[in-house]
Amino acid sequence: MYNTTSINLSSAPVTTTQKRDGLSDRYSLIPTTEISDTLGDAGWEFVSGTARRTRNATRALTAAHVLRFRNPNIHNINGNIVECVVLNSHDGSTAFEMSFGVFRLACANGLIVRTTSLGGFRLTHSSLKLINVYYAARTMTERAPEVIDTIRRWQEINLDGEQQLALARRAVTARWDNAAFVDMDAMLRPQRADDTGTDLWTSFNRVQERVIRGGMDVTLRKPVINEDGTEGHTLSTRRATAIRGAVKQVRLNEELFRIGEQFATAA
């Protein structure tokens, strides 16, 4: 079993120079500390990180990890800070990825930006070179205003009640494709004063926080085989827990942002 633990630049998966046994010689391991230094040369400063926590100390050395960086020359917009999010591992489970992120001060919540035009960078470890990381980071600095424009655009789009419900339903399905019932009032209920708006950006952040962090009851369908051999299902209600896996957090955040972008495009 594993979940996510906070890490810094001195943590094992960041500093390790070992790759998982069994990976080919073509697999290039560049310590994430060197990648962090390269981002620093491009103007991005480390602020936080998480990693997959395992019970196996050897696996922990090479586990997938996510680091978030900020550029002091990129100004925040209404309490939203543009970030560079790095996903890396040394066990062959993921490629090296850099994406835009947004940290929302109101709820201390980190998003991953994933749109058609803002897709980030993905490099296989067999072709991973620090010079490519440097130029990718410089490109992200140049394109950061596009993220800010996206936030402004979403803030200008107002959603009525039905549209907010549709957004919440799509987000629920992204996490639980077998959901039978989720309390939509809880999904959309503001948890703080800054969450009371009906614009797409505020509505999206309310829904995203609930889907990622949980806290409400969900009823899920579980397939079963009946005594006569036919297929059926049972219903199980439980309290939704927070997404724990570092990679799963990234992937679900990406999918949620894609859903939000579809609402923005349709507006």
Side-chain angles (χ1 to χ4, degrees):
M1 298 294 293
Y2 64 83
N3 56 20
T4 299
T5 185
S6 296
I7 61 171
N8 55 41
L9 294 182
S10 63
S11 300
V14 180
T15 59
T16 186
T17 58
Q18 303 176 25
K19 61 185 179 183
R20 180 179 61 80
D21 291 342
L23 293 176
S24 72
D25 293 338
R26 295 180 63 248
Y27 188 97
S28 173
L29 187 153
I30 298 177
T32 308
T33 47
E34 295 184 20
I35 290 171
S36 176
D37 290 342
T38 300
L39 265 70
D41 293 339
W44 294 89
E45 302 173 354
F46 171 81
V47 290
S48 65
T50 57
R52 178 178 296 172
R53 179 166 53 192
T54 73
R55 295 176 179 174
N56 184 306
T58 301
R59 289 182 61 190
L61 287 173
T62 60
H65 45 285
V66 177
L67 306 182
R68 303 183 79 98
F69 298 79
R70 295 177 190 169
N71 190 322
N73 296 316
I74 300 174
H75 301 294
N76 72 64
I77 171 176
N78 299 328
N80 298 287
I81 302 174
V82 177
E83 296 184 326
C84 172
V85 181
V86 170
L87 169 63
N88 198 23
S89 72
H90 306 301
D91 59 5
S93 63
T94 67
F96 170 82
E97 297 182 20
M98 291 173 58
S99 303
F100 280 111
V102 177
F103 184 85
R104 186 168 179 254
L105 292 172
C107 56
N109 211 15
L111 313 174
I112 306 291
V113 176
R114 182 67 65 170
T115 70
T116 301
S117 60
L118 293 170
F121 299 87
R122 185 178 189 274
L123 301 170
T124 62
H125 285 87
S126 61
S127 60
L128 183 58
K129 295 180 175 60
L130 289 176
I131 189 63
N132 294 334
V133 174
Y134 176 80
Y135 283 117
R138 289 290 298 271
T139 298
M140 294 188 74
T141 301
E142 295 168 0
R143 300 194 64 187
E146 297 179 44
V147 179
I148 295 172
D149 288 343
T150 296
I151 294 172
R152 287 198 179 104
R153 179 164 52 92
W154 287 27
Q155 288 175 331
E156 294 170 355
I157 299 172
N158 190 61
L159 301 183
D160 61 27
E162 286 300 318
Q163 290 171 319
Q164 290 182 57
L165 279 173
L167 174 65
R169 292 190 187 104
R170 291 282 305 279
V172 165
T173 302
R175 178 171 177 183
W176 301 284
D177 58 3
N178 61 336
F181 174 79
V182 176
D183 186 348
M184 291 299 170
D185 286 338
M187 286 284 294
L188 292 167
R189 185 182 304 121
Q191 300 187 67
R192 56 190 68 84
D194 289 333
D195 288 338
T196 56
T198 59
D199 61 277
L200 175 57
W201 181 249
T202 306
S203 301
F204 172 80
N205 274 273
R206 288 202 305 269
V207 169
Q208 185 269 359
E209 183 177 1
R210 278 299 197 183
V211 170
I212 296 294
R213 295 186 179 181
M216 65 289 186
D217 289 340
V218 297
T219 300
L220 305 177
R221 296 185 184 89
K222 294 187 176 181
V224 296
I225 301 299
N226 298 317
E227 293 183 359
D228 60 1
T230 60
E231 295 181 355
H233 68 264
T234 61
L235 297 179
S236 173
T237 299
R238 61 181 175 84
R239 179 74 65 173
T241 58
I243 296 292
R244 297 297 185 186
V247 177
K248 190 173 182 179
Q249 281 186 6
V250 170
R251 295 293 178 247
L252 182 54
N253 263 302
E254 289 173 341
E255 179 59 25
L256 293 174
F257 209 93
R258 274 190 288 262
I259 292 170
E261 181 65 11
Q262 290 169 7
F263 277 77
T265 302

